[in-house]
Every structure is written in C-alpha cells, then in structure tokens.
C-alpha cells in the first residue's frame, strides 16, 4: 500500500506506522502535510505555552541515559527555593502563559510531598486559580498523586521512555526503583485519579528500531493518553549509555525521526496535546517550530531562573541556558509566528481528548 492510501485510513496498523516512520523525500512531505492538516482541522492553529521550572536536579534514580542521574558525581546539585519557584509562577501568570510546569529529579519522601503540596496551593492562590499546573516529578505513591491533584495539579507527565519492557531494562538498572511495571501502574493511577495524563518516549536510543517506535505509538493509543511529550535522545558523556554512542544514528536523523514520530502520532491521535520537546531545539534552533508545523501544539518555554539552567543538564548542548525568562518570551513569539501558529495566551490549552474521553466540558478560558 502506498503512503497516500495509508494516510487516508482511519486506523493504522503496526506495519503502516513503520512505513510512515521510514518515509523519506516526497513521502515524508506527504506525511507532514497530512499531520498539519489534521491538527488544523481538529485543534486549529493555537499553540499553548507551559512555563517550565526545572526546580531541582537532585534525583534518587540512576537512569542510564540521564546526565543528572544520582551516580553522576560531576553534577553540581541545586534546589531552587520555594520563593523563586513562586516568583517564576508569578512570571508565567503575569505574562499570560496560562500554564506552569514543575519538573525535577525524582524524590519520594514525606517532606517532598508536603513541599509540592504547599507550592501548589500557593501557586493557585497567587494566580487566583487561573494558572493551570502540570507536574513531572516521576513515580510517586497513589496517596501523593492524590494529594497533589487535590492541591491543584491537573496534568501529569510521566514518560514511559520505552514501551518495550526488554528495551526499558537496557536503559535502567535492574532494581525496584526502576521497575517497568511500576512506571506503567503509575500512569494508570494518574488516569484513575482524574489527571490529564501524558507520557512519551525518547527517540533514537541505542538498540531501538523503528518497529519499537511504532509499538510506542500503539502503546500511547492503547493507553488513551491525553498528552505526549517526546523528543530525540541526546547522549551525555557522563552516563553509562554513552559507551554505545557509536551505534547511534546521526543526530540530524534522530531529529527527523522525532518529527516523523510527532506527525504520525498526530494522525493516530488527532485531538491530544503534543509538546514540542526542548531536545528538538538542542539539535536545531528552530526545532520546536518545525515540530509545531508537523503536528505539535504545545511549547514549553524554560523559565527556570538563569543561574540554575546549566545544571539541569540531561544531555549535551541544552539550549537557552544563558537566557532570562523575558528574553525567552519575545524570542518565542516571533518563532511561533514563523510556524504559522498563534499563541493561546492566558488559556490552559487543555487536551481536547481528555474532555472527550471523560465526557467533561472543555474549559477554554480557565
Ligand atoms: N525525573 C522525572 C522523570 O524521569 O520522569 C522528570 C524529569 S526527567 C529529567 C524528564 C525526562 O527527561 C525523562 O522522562 C527523559 O525522557 C528525559 N531525558 C533524560 N535524559 C535524556 C537524554 N539524555 N536525552 C533526551 N531526553 C532525556
Ligand atoms: Fe532522575 Fe528523571 Fe533523570 Fe531518571 S530521567 S535520572 S528519574 S531526572
């Protein structure tokens, strides 16, 4: 079956997903153009902002790919103060970002749970409930997720990293802290508690083939997720996975494959939110705008206070590490216009899919 016929189908099979992910030249252009049309028809041209604060690189885990893993003794550890986090939230609110994301290394402790719960309540207070809040704080107990939900978080992003258990085990130590089933159960718990639930994978990892990525897309469809954040894997020299760098595809190919994953996912799940990952920008300065052109509808500007940005080094050449939030905002405005998008200022930009899935009424203006 030719690519034209595949793109007209309502439901895509694994082999067809693989064909799309392997597409080149004119076929790739057709894929991108179909994904762009679907996004415009389903969601319009609005792009929503989530102001991101990477508030700590202290992590209890040891994922083999990540520069801030616990065993990397070269990382300078930091923890942004509560006041600085609230300041960043105020910045997001005052600049009409609509939503705020708190991300960090993974810690599981009563003190950490209390801290986040307190911050959530304060952010709701300072924004009179107007700032939408997404969390990306890894695996936690049901009780913790529940407390954070009740304190005001309404979206949660937990990447499955790879939905193939055998691959997952190659990227993580074999212990109870890095258990595939536990991560999966967390995703189900988040959905069950009422969060808009997001997942994602890294693209272009060693040992990963297009067929694995097709399975990742089918996993997202089967899980019926509301949001996806996925981007290229970028190696970091102080991590165990770095030893396999010779097996990686060239970085530009990883970038193109990530765009094809976004476009294919948009065709598969027409009404979900898809984020343009920062890692895309690390490879190509216009990476996020290119992602918006082929199906993404969420941009996550980094508003972490400047002096900490260098230390949240998950991978090499992280972009915008020297910028202050004000500079980021003006630069993004221009860029989104380049990609024919319009920024949905002051709106939460919730996942349409979530409302269809749960039959709730969409809340466009907060
Ligand atoms: N600690 C939480 C967790 O792991 O879910 C949230 C923060 S973690 C840094 C966020 C994401 O960064 C991970 O889900 C992973 O996909 C991504 N990441 C880590 N190392 C990376 C790398 N070398 N290249 C690209 N993405 C990476
Ligand atoms: Fe920690 Fe997340 Fe990095 Fe894993 S990916 S080491 S959990 S910060």
């Amino acid at each position: 079956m030719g690519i034209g016929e595949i793109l007209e189908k309502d439901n895509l099979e694994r082999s067809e997903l693989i064909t799309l992910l392997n597409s080149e030249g004119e076929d790739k252009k057709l894929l991108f153009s179909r994904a762009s049309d679907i996004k415009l028809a389903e969601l319009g041209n609005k792009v929503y902002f989530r102001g991101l604060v990477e508030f700590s690189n202290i992590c209890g885990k040891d994922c083999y790919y990540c520069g801030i893993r616990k065993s990397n003794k070269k990382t300078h550890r930091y923890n942004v103060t509560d006041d600085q986090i609230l300041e960043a939230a105020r910045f997001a609110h005052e600049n009409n970002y609509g939503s705020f994301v708190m991300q960090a290394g993974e810690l599981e402790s009563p003190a950490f749970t209390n801290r986040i719960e307190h911050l959530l309540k304060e952010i709701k207070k300072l924004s009179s409930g107007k700032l939408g809040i997404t969390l990306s704080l890894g695996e936690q107990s049901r009780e913790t997720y529940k407390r954070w939900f009740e304190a005001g978080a309404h979206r949660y992003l937990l990447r499955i990293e790879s939905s193939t258990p055998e691959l997952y085990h190659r990227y993580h130590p074999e212990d109870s802290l890095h258990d595939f089933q536990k991560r999966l159960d967390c995703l189900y718990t988040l959905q069950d508690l009422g969060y808009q639930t997001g997942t994602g994978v890294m693209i272009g990892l060693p040992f990963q083939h297009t067929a694995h990525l097709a399975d990742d897309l089918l996993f997202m469809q089967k899980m019926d997720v509301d949001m996806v954040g996925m981007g290229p894997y970028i190696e970091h020299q102080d991590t165990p996975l770095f030893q396999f760098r010779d097996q990686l595809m060239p970085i530009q190919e990883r970038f193109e494959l990530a765009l094809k994953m976004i476009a294919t996912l948009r065709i598969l799940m027409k009404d979900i939110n898809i984020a343009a990952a920062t890692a895309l920008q690390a490879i190509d300065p216009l990476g996020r705008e290119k992602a918006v052109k082929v199906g993404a509808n969420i941009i996550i500007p980094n508003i972490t206070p400047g002096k900490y940005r260098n230390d949240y080094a998950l991978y090499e050449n992280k972009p915008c590490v020297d910028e202050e939030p004000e500079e980021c905002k003006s630069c993004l405005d221009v860029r989104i216009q380049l990609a024919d998008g319009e920024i949905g200022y002051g709106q939460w930009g919730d996942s349409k899919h979530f409302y269809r899935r749960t039959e709730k009424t969409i809340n466009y203006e907060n």
Side-chain angles (χ1 to χ4, degrees):
M1 193 184 291
I3 206 141
E5 282 171 89
I6 296 177
L7 292 173
E8 288 309 317
K9 287 187 67 180
D10 272 341
N11 223 342
L12 297 171
E13 287 169 21
R14 186 172 187 262
S15 60
E16 294 162 342
L17 294 173
I18 295 173
T19 302
L20 295 182
L21 295 176
N22 285 332
S23 63
E24 292 299 339
E26 283 306 309
D27 284 353
K28 187 171 79 175
K29 276 193 198 154
L30 280 176
L31 164 68
F32 287 168
S33 137
R34 177 82 179 128
S36 168
D37 289 349
I38 288 176
K39 186 183 81 165
L40 285 176
E42 286 286 326
L43 305 174
N45 72 341
K46 286 257 174 80
V47 177
Y48 298 99
F49 274 5
R50 280 84 176 93
L52 167 70
V53 171
E54 296 162 332
F55 68 85
S56 171
N57 65 357
I58 301 169
C59 186
K61 288 176 75 171
D62 246 338
C63 310
Y64 291 153
Y65 41 82
C66 179
I68 63 171
R69 63 197 297 270
K70 186 181 178 187
S71 298
N72 183 7
K73 301 295 175 220
K74 291 190 189 160
T75 302
H76 170 251
R77 303 288 164 179
Y78 73 88
N79 198 352
V80 175
T81 65
D82 286 6
D83 282 349
Q84 286 170 317
I85 295 175
L86 296 176
E87 196 46 49
R90 205 168 284 117
F91 173 87
H93 178 52
E94 285 169 0
N95 284 282
N96 259 327
Y97 278 20
S99 290
F100 187 60
V101 185
M102 284 199 274
Q103 192 183 75
E106 189 175 308
L107 289 179
E108 245 194 298
S109 74
F112 188 69
T113 302
N114 290 341
R115 179 184 187 204
I116 302 302
E117 184 179 45
H118 167 75
L119 284 166
L120 288 166
K121 288 180 180 163
E122 289 298 310
I123 294 167
K124 283 286 157 188
K125 222 187 281 173
L126 71 83
S127 67
S128 312
K130 286 205 182 297
L131 203 55
I133 310 176
T134 307
L135 296 179
S136 176
L137 301 173
E139 295 163 38
Q140 303 286 340
S141 68
R142 183 183 178 92
E143 185 53 32
T144 295
Y145 284 147
K146 186 163 181 282
R147 277 176 59 188
W148 291 348
F149 186 74
E150 285 166 359
H154 78 297
R155 307 187 191 108
Y156 205 103
L157 181 66
L158 184 73
R159 285 184 176 181
I160 195 70
E161 315 297 1
S162 168
S163 66
T164 306
E166 299 74 48
L167 278 190
Y168 188 90
H169 292 310
R170 297 188 80 163
Y171 307 140
H172 299 92
E174 293 266 349
D175 61 28
S176 58
L177 257 188
H178 303 82
D179 184 69
F180 177 81
Q181 190 57 45
K182 184 171 170 235
R183 202 157 178 92
L184 196 56
D185 289 344
C186 282
L187 280 172
Y188 286 120
T189 304
L190 290 162
Q191 271 183 334
D192 187 48
L193 287 170
Y195 278 95
Q196 290 178 40
T197 306
T199 194
V201 293
M202 279 172 286
I203 298 156
L205 285 155
F207 325 121
Q208 185 190 51
H209 304 293
T210 323
H212 295 122
L213 291 170
D215 288 336
D216 290 336
L217 295 175
L218 291 170
F219 168 84
M220 292 164 195
Q221 187 186 39
K222 188 162 163 244
M223 281 285 308
D224 210 13
V225 292
D226 307 304
M227 350 183 271
V228 168
M230 57 184 172
Y233 161 69
I234 304 176
E235 62 274 33
H236 188 297
Q237 62 179 352
D238 301 318
T239 61
L241 222 54
F242 192 68
Q243 64 187 294
F244 302 109
R245 64 191 175 284
D246 295 346
Q247 299 182 27
L248 296 173
M249 65 179 85
I251 193 99
Q252 199 54 40
E253 271 179 43
R254 271 177 263 165
F255 178 83
E256 284 299 316
L257 188 53
L259 291 186
K260 287 189 267 185
M261 278 288 280
I262 290 174
T264 306
L265 179 65
R266 175 55 72 206
I267 293 168
L268 201 61
M269 300 187 78
K270 299 182 172 35
D271 59 357
I272 63 168
N273 278 350
I274 304 180
T278 312
L280 289 164
Q281 197 194 353
I283 299 177
D284 178 335
L286 285 177
R288 292 182 301 181
E289 292 73 4
K290 290 182 180 172
V292 166
K293 276 200 166 152
V294 303
N297 66 327
I298 303 289
I299 293 254
I300 310 184
N302 194 340
I303 57 169
T304 307
K307 67 174 173 171
Y308 299 110
R309 289 201 201 171
N310 265 324
D311 292 323
Y312 200 79
L314 311 180
Y315 43 79
E316 281 147 26
N317 299 327
K318 225 179 139 216
C320 295
V321 287
D322 302 324
E323 276 178 14
E324 284 304 323
E326 289 77 4
E327 296 165 35
C328 252
K329 181 174 175 280
S330 53
C331 130
L332 270 162
D333 252 348
V334 175
R335 290 183 175 182
I336 297 307
Q337 283 161 19
L338 280 177
D340 306 325
E342 183 195 336
I343 295 166
Y345 277 119
Q347 298 172 26
W348 282 9
D350 276 337
S351 161
K352 253 193 186 180
H353 185 78
F354 173 79
Y355 289 97
R356 288 188 178 145
R357 180 168 71 75
T358 57
E359 295 182 340
K360 289 188 179 153
T361 319
I362 197 155
N363 186 359
Y364 279 112
E365 302 292 337
N366 308 342

